[in-house]
Amino acid sequence: MAGLEGVEQPRQRGGATAARWVLSADDEQALKALELFGDPTEEEVRLPSRPESAATARRLTQCVVLRQWALTPQIAEHAILLVSELVGNAVRHTGARVFGLRMLRRRGWIRIEVRDPSRGLPCLMPVHELDTSGRGLFLVDKLSDRWGVDLLPRGKTTWFEMRVCDR
């Protein structure tokens, strides 16, 4: 590097570490979403019940799982997909104006919750190979270690949990 000859440079420890040094456009959008809507690890983040909110929820999940919690890219990929499915269900099936997103971590586990004002329960349907829709809860069931629904006095919380390795 020009002007820094003789100064010891940090060593790169592989592609994943080097990639963290430079913010990608996705990282920037994720950080912007965190600034705009809040940190779902500190309190429930309320998002408008519109299809485009799924992208915001994915960005928030990416930021939390990869940057704050420093979990593996595979855990992040699964968590992002499952958040997208739960948000899609909340937007499509509840008629709500807003929904809530919350992310929790305890030793060996992460838990992600989507709260909406409907008390209608989601239903895990059988999935066939050529189905083009209705796979959301099937994916949640297959990719998470546990999932469920907690009924509230006004609405419900649909959640999933995944085992993670603590470093």
Short mmCIF file of all heavy atoms in Angstrom, two decimals, residues 84-107:
data_model
loop_
_atom_site.label_atom_id
_atom_site.label_comp_id
_atom_site.label_asym_id
_atom_site.label_seq_id
_atom_site.Cartn_x
_atom_site.Cartn_y
_atom_site.Cartn_z
N SER A 84 -38.52 -14.68 6.23
CA SER A 84 -39.27 -14.27 5.05
C SER A 84 -40.60 -15.03 4.95
O SER A 84 -41.63 -14.45 4.63
CB SER A 84 -38.42 -14.52 3.80
OG SER A 84 -39.00 -13.93 2.68
N GLU A 85 -40.57 -16.31 5.26
CA GLU A 85 -41.80 -17.12 5.21
C GLU A 85 -42.80 -16.68 6.28
O GLU A 85 -43.99 -16.53 6.00
CB GLU A 85 -41.47 -18.61 5.36
CG GLU A 85 -40.64 -19.18 4.23
CD GLU A 85 -41.32 -19.11 2.87
OE1 GLU A 85 -42.56 -19.00 2.81
OE2 GLU A 85 -40.60 -19.15 1.86
N LEU A 86 -42.33 -16.47 7.50
CA LEU A 86 -43.25 -16.06 8.57
C LEU A 86 -43.82 -14.67 8.31
O LEU A 86 -45.01 -14.42 8.54
CB LEU A 86 -42.55 -16.09 9.93
CG LEU A 86 -42.15 -17.46 10.47
CD1 LEU A 86 -41.63 -17.34 11.90
CD2 LEU A 86 -43.30 -18.47 10.41
N VAL A 87 -42.99 -13.77 7.82
CA VAL A 87 -43.47 -12.43 7.49
C VAL A 87 -44.47 -12.50 6.34
O VAL A 87 -45.52 -11.86 6.37
CB VAL A 87 -42.29 -11.49 7.16
CG1 VAL A 87 -42.77 -10.20 6.51
CG2 VAL A 87 -41.49 -11.20 8.42
N GLY A 88 -44.16 -13.31 5.33
CA GLY A 88 -45.10 -13.48 4.22
C GLY A 88 -46.45 -13.96 4.69
O GLY A 88 -47.49 -13.46 4.24
N ASN A 89 -46.47 -14.91 5.61
CA ASN A 89 -47.75 -15.39 6.16
C ASN A 89 -48.48 -14.29 6.92
O ASN A 89 -49.70 -14.13 6.78
CB ASN A 89 -47.52 -16.59 7.09
CG ASN A 89 -47.22 -17.86 6.33
OD1 ASN A 89 -47.38 -17.94 5.12
ND2 ASN A 89 -46.74 -18.87 7.05
N ALA A 90 -47.73 -13.52 7.71
CA ALA A 90 -48.36 -12.44 8.48
C ALA A 90 -48.96 -11.39 7.54
O ALA A 90 -50.07 -10.89 7.77
CB ALA A 90 -47.35 -11.80 9.43
N VAL A 91 -48.25 -11.07 6.47
CA VAL A 91 -48.72 -10.05 5.53
C VAL A 91 -49.92 -10.57 4.73
O VAL A 91 -50.92 -9.88 4.57
CB VAL A 91 -47.57 -9.61 4.59
CG1 VAL A 91 -48.08 -8.77 3.43
CG2 VAL A 91 -46.51 -8.86 5.38
N ARG A 92 -49.82 -11.80 4.23
CA ARG A 92 -50.87 -12.35 3.36
C ARG A 92 -52.14 -12.76 4.09
O ARG A 92 -53.23 -12.60 3.55
CB ARG A 92 -50.33 -13.59 2.63
CG ARG A 92 -49.77 -13.30 1.27
CD ARG A 92 -49.49 -14.56 0.47
NE ARG A 92 -48.58 -15.50 1.10
CZ ARG A 92 -47.26 -15.37 1.14
NH1 ARG A 92 -46.68 -14.33 0.61
NH2 ARG A 92 -46.51 -16.29 1.71
N HIS A 93 -52.02 -13.31 5.28
CA HIS A 93 -53.16 -14.00 5.87
C HIS A 93 -53.80 -13.34 7.08
O HIS A 93 -54.80 -13.84 7.58
CB HIS A 93 -52.75 -15.43 6.26
CG HIS A 93 -52.25 -16.24 5.10
ND1 HIS A 93 -53.03 -16.54 4.01
CD2 HIS A 93 -51.04 -16.80 4.88
CE1 HIS A 93 -52.32 -17.26 3.15
NE2 HIS A 93 -51.11 -17.41 3.65
N THR A 94 -53.25 -12.23 7.58
CA THR A 94 -53.80 -11.70 8.83
C THR A 94 -54.63 -10.44 8.69
O THR A 94 -55.41 -10.13 9.58
CB THR A 94 -52.68 -11.40 9.85
OG1 THR A 94 -51.88 -10.32 9.36
CG2 THR A 94 -51.82 -12.63 10.09
N GLY A 95 -54.47 -9.70 7.62
CA GLY A 95 -55.21 -8.44 7.47
C GLY A 95 -54.73 -7.36 8.42
O GLY A 95 -55.41 -6.35 8.62
N ALA A 96 -53.57 -7.54 8.98
CA ALA A 96 -53.04 -6.57 9.95
C ALA A 96 -52.43 -5.37 9.24
O ALA A 96 -52.06 -5.44 8.08
CB ALA A 96 -51.97 -7.24 10.80
N ARG A 97 -52.33 -4.25 9.97
CA ARG A 97 -51.64 -3.08 9.43
C ARG A 97 -50.15 -3.13 9.74
O ARG A 97 -49.35 -2.57 9.02
CB ARG A 97 -52.25 -1.81 10.00
CG ARG A 97 -53.59 -1.49 9.35
CD ARG A 97 -54.05 -0.13 9.72
NE ARG A 97 -54.74 -0.22 11.00
CZ ARG A 97 -55.20 0.79 11.68
NH1 ARG A 97 -55.04 2.00 11.22
NH2 ARG A 97 -55.81 0.62 12.81
N VAL A 98 -49.80 -3.76 10.87
CA VAL A 98 -48.39 -3.90 11.26
C VAL A 98 -48.17 -5.30 11.84
O VAL A 98 -49.11 -5.96 12.27
CB VAL A 98 -47.95 -2.84 12.29
CG1 VAL A 98 -48.01 -1.45 11.72
CG2 VAL A 98 -48.74 -2.95 13.56
N PHE A 99 -46.92 -5.69 11.87
CA PHE A 99 -46.54 -6.91 12.57
C PHE A 99 -45.24 -6.61 13.32
O PHE A 99 -44.57 -5.60 13.05
CB PHE A 99 -46.37 -8.10 11.61
CG PHE A 99 -45.26 -7.94 10.62
CD1 PHE A 99 -43.97 -8.37 10.93
CD2 PHE A 99 -45.48 -7.36 9.39
CE1 PHE A 99 -42.93 -8.20 10.02
CE2 PHE A 99 -44.45 -7.19 8.47
CZ PHE A 99 -43.18 -7.62 8.79
N GLY A 100 -44.91 -7.45 14.28
CA GLY A 100 -43.71 -7.25 15.08
C GLY A 100 -42.68 -8.33 14.80
O GLY A 100 -43.02 -9.48 14.52
N LEU A 101 -41.41 -7.95 14.88
CA LEU A 101 -40.29 -8.87 14.68
C LEU A 101 -39.38 -8.77 15.89
O LEU A 101 -39.00 -7.66 16.29
CB LEU A 101 -39.53 -8.50 13.40
CG LEU A 101 -38.29 -9.31 13.07
CD1 LEU A 101 -38.65 -10.76 12.74
CD2 LEU A 101 -37.55 -8.67 11.89
N ARG A 102 -39.03 -9.91 16.46
CA ARG A 102 -38.16 -9.95 17.64
C ARG A 102 -37.17 -11.09 17.47
O ARG A 102 -37.52 -12.16 16.97
CB ARG A 102 -39.03 -10.19 18.88
CG ARG A 102 -38.27 -10.24 20.17
CD ARG A 102 -38.36 -8.90 20.88
NE ARG A 102 -37.92 -9.03 22.25
CZ ARG A 102 -36.74 -8.56 22.67
NH1 ARG A 102 -35.95 -7.95 21.84
NH2 ARG A 102 -36.39 -8.70 23.91
N MET A 103 -35.92 -10.88 17.89
CA MET A 103 -34.88 -11.89 17.80
C MET A 103 -34.20 -12.04 19.15
O MET A 103 -33.79 -11.05 19.75
CB MET A 103 -33.86 -11.50 16.74
CG MET A 103 -34.47 -11.36 15.37
SD MET A 103 -33.25 -10.89 14.14
CE MET A 103 -34.35 -10.41 12.83
N LEU A 104 -34.10 -13.28 19.59
CA LEU A 104 -33.53 -13.56 20.90
C LEU A 104 -32.43 -14.60 20.77
O LEU A 104 -32.51 -15.50 19.93
CB LEU A 104 -34.63 -14.11 21.83
CG LEU A 104 -35.89 -13.25 21.93
CD1 LEU A 104 -37.06 -14.06 22.40
CD2 LEU A 104 -35.62 -12.09 22.85
N ARG A 105 -31.44 -14.48 21.63
CA ARG A 105 -30.37 -15.48 21.64
C ARG A 105 -30.10 -15.87 23.08
O ARG A 105 -29.99 -15.02 23.97
CB ARG A 105 -29.10 -14.90 21.03
CG ARG A 105 -28.00 -15.96 20.99
CD ARG A 105 -26.88 -15.59 20.10
NE ARG A 105 -25.92 -16.70 20.06
CZ ARG A 105 -24.72 -16.60 19.58
NH1 ARG A 105 -24.32 -15.46 19.07
NH2 ARG A 105 -23.92 -17.63 19.59
N ARG A 106 -30.02 -17.16 23.28
CA ARG A 106 -29.58 -17.68 24.55
C ARG A 106 -28.57 -18.78 24.25
O ARG A 106 -28.42 -19.17 23.09
CB ARG A 106 -30.74 -18.19 25.39
CG ARG A 106 -31.48 -19.38 24.84
CD ARG A 106 -32.61 -19.79 25.79
NE ARG A 106 -33.10 -21.09 25.48
CZ ARG A 106 -34.02 -21.36 24.57
NH1 ARG A 106 -34.56 -20.38 23.88
NH2 ARG A 106 -34.40 -22.60 24.34
N ARG A 107 -27.91 -19.25 25.23
CA ARG A 107 -26.82 -20.20 25.01
C ARG A 107 -27.27 -21.38 24.15
O ARG A 107 -28.15 -22.14 24.52
CB ARG A 107 -26.30 -20.69 26.34
CG ARG A 107 -25.07 -21.50 26.18
CD ARG A 107 -24.42 -21.81 27.47
NE ARG A 107 -23.12 -22.37 27.12
CZ ARG A 107 -22.27 -22.80 27.99
NH1 ARG A 107 -22.54 -22.70 29.27
NH2 ARG A 107 -21.14 -23.30 27.60
#
